[in-house]
């Protein structure tokens, strides 16, 4: 009788364990490298949503534009979030890489900042403009200057590959110092160096600047330089990556981005407003 009772108890216990195991969702860990502001902040915003969908999103922050792609290519990251497509294309070309975009999320309008002048048209003849050594942003800088009527570009120039050598006319004889680290640009601005300093919005926001209010000229929201999620070729079809993109491109996240950053970071509305 005792043996039958023990056998019955064991059967019940096994059944409980089986039911418990069936009720548990398998969790997938997704490690994404990102710039501290705003990329990592946006990723942390969608962490709770992804947790409910079985994705354990781990965010690894970087302070430069070099390591995130290296670590993604080596497999130390599942994805990264810090760059736009021209930057990614340039990196792939230089490093024989095969990284691809899983989708766009937001635009960080690059801007001109100055302690001395209130607009680009106020710049004096021969003014010096400080620009970072990020070649992928040169076309963005030139587009702003062209829209302001300060320069014209040589016929046939493609903005995604343009450099300062592509300037045809330079009405104010502007000089460009473009061998500077992107993360140092806010320091040059705060010290009042140069007549104007070009700063990426993520570094501007991180330094407490409001691009909409503090920049003397700002990239238009129709710019093709949206920041994206990059992955290894083929990984854009992984379920966890698709869930990440759905969360980042949702209308609720897009609305949060615009409200939280007050125009310093703009959602690109991949799925429509």
């Amino acid at each position: 009788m005792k043996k039958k009772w023990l056998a019955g108890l064991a059967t019940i216990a096994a059944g409980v364990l089986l039911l418990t195991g069936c009720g548990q969702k398998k969790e997938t860990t997704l490690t994404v490298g990102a710039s501290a502001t705003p990329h990592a902040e946006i990723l942390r915003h969608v962490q709770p949503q992804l947790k409910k969908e079985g994705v354990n999103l781990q965010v690894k922050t970087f302070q430069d534009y070099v390591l995130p792609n290296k670590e993604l290519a080596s497999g130390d990251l599942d994805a990264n979030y810090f760059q736009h497509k021209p930057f990614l294309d340039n990196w792939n070309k230089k490093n024989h890489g095969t990284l691809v975009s899983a989708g766009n999320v937001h635009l960080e309008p690059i801007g001109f900042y100055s302690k001395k002048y209130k607009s680009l048209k106020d710049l004096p003849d021969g003014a010096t403009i400080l620009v970072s050594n990020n070649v992928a942003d040169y076309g963005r800088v030139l587009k702003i200057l062209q829209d302001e009527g300060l320069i014209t570009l040589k016929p046939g120039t493609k903005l995604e590959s343009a450099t300062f050598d592509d300037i045809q006319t330079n009405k104010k004889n502007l000089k460009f110092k473009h061998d500077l680290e992107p993360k140092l640009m806010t320091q040059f601005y705060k010290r009042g160096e140069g007549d104007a300093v070009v700063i990426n919005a993520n570094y501007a926001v991180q330094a407490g600047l409001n691009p909409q209010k503090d920049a003397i000229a700002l990239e238009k929201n129709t710019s093709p330089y949206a920041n994206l999620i990059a992955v290894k070729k083929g990984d854009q079809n992984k379920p966890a990556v698709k869930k990440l993109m759905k969360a980042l491109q949702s209308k609720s996240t897009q609305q949060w981005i615009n409200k939280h950053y007050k125009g310093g970071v703009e959602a690109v509305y991949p799925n429509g407003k």
Side-chain angles (χ1 to χ4, degrees):
M1 185 70 180
K2 187 175 181 181
K3 288 183 178 179
K4 288 183 178 180
W5 181 80
L6 289 173
L9 185 62
T11 301
I12 292 171
V16 170
L17 287 172
L18 181 61
L19 288 172
T20 303
C22 291
Q24 291 179 337
K25 290 183 178 180
K26 186 177 180 181
E27 192 173 75
T28 301
T29 296
L30 192 70
T31 303
V32 182
S35 297
T37 305
H39 307 77
E41 296 171 349
I42 295 172
L43 289 171
R44 292 191 182 101
H45 174 73
V46 300
Q47 271 181 324
Q49 179 180 339
L50 290 170
K51 189 76 174 178
K52 293 177 182 178
E53 298 178 14
V55 178
N56 176 26
L57 177 62
Q58 297 293 312
V59 182
K60 182 177 180 180
T61 58
F62 291 85
Q63 298 299 324
D64 62 71
Y65 293 162
V66 178
L67 291 176
N69 277 340
K70 283 187 176 181
E71 294 203 11
L72 176 57
S74 68
D76 292 331
L77 297 173
D78 297 305
N80 68 39
Y81 177 31
F82 77 99
Q83 63 194 320
H84 49 62
K85 194 171 186 302
F87 185 97
L88 178 61
D89 291 343
N90 187 55
W91 188 89
N92 278 331
K93 184 177 180 181
K94 285 187 175 181
N95 297 277
H96 306 289
T98 56
L99 304 182
V100 299
S101 169
N104 295 334
V105 182
H106 75 270
L107 172 70
E108 295 175 23
I110 200 167
F112 286 72
Y113 297 76
S114 177
K115 291 284 188 180
K116 305 170 184 176
Y117 306 99
K118 294 184 178 180
S119 74
L120 289 180
K121 292 181 180 179
D122 291 338
L123 293 176
D125 189 81
T128 298
I129 297 177
L130 305 186
V131 185
S132 82
N133 57 14
N134 184 12
V135 179
D137 282 339
Y138 291 173
R140 304 171 75 182
V141 175
L142 294 170
K143 180 69 164 60
I144 295 174
L145 293 172
Q146 182 176 247
D147 289 344
E148 290 284 334
L150 300 184
I151 66 167
T152 61
L153 297 174
K154 297 174 183 177
T157 298
K158 295 181 179 180
L159 287 176
E160 60 268 23
S161 59
T163 69
F164 298 101
D165 291 333
D166 292 309
I167 296 175
Q168 184 174 47
T169 60
N170 186 345
K171 296 182 180 180
K172 285 182 176 282
N173 298 304
L174 300 174
K175 298 175 182 177
F176 301 93
K177 183 174 176 57
H178 50 85
D179 57 351
L180 308 167
E181 284 293 323
K183 62 184 178 182
L184 299 179
M185 303 309 291
T186 55
Q187 295 180 32
F188 296 135
Y189 163 69
K190 290 181 177 181
R191 291 201 297 259
E193 296 187 27
D195 293 297
V197 182
V198 179
I199 306 175
N200 287 81
N202 62 316
Y203 288 120
V205 171
Q206 196 170 342
L209 297 171
N210 183 325
Q212 297 291 335
K213 294 180 180 179
D214 299 322
I216 63 171
L218 197 63
E219 185 175 24
K220 296 179 181 178
N221 60 12
T222 53
S223 168
Y225 291 86
N227 279 222
L228 53 83
I229 295 291
V231 295
K232 281 186 172 182
K233 188 175 182 179
D235 285 358
Q236 66 268 36
N237 297 316
K238 287 186 174 180
V241 173
K242 285 188 173 182
K243 288 179 181 179
L244 172 64
M245 295 313 305
K246 184 178 179 181
L248 290 171
Q249 295 180 340
S250 68
K251 288 185 179 180
S252 62
T253 298
Q254 293 164 357
Q255 290 168 355
W256 179 86
I257 289 172
N258 288 338
K259 183 178 179 180
H260 186 76
Y261 294 105
K262 300 177 182 178
V265 179
E266 300 179 5
V268 294
Y269 292 98
N271 299 323
K273 292 189 179 181

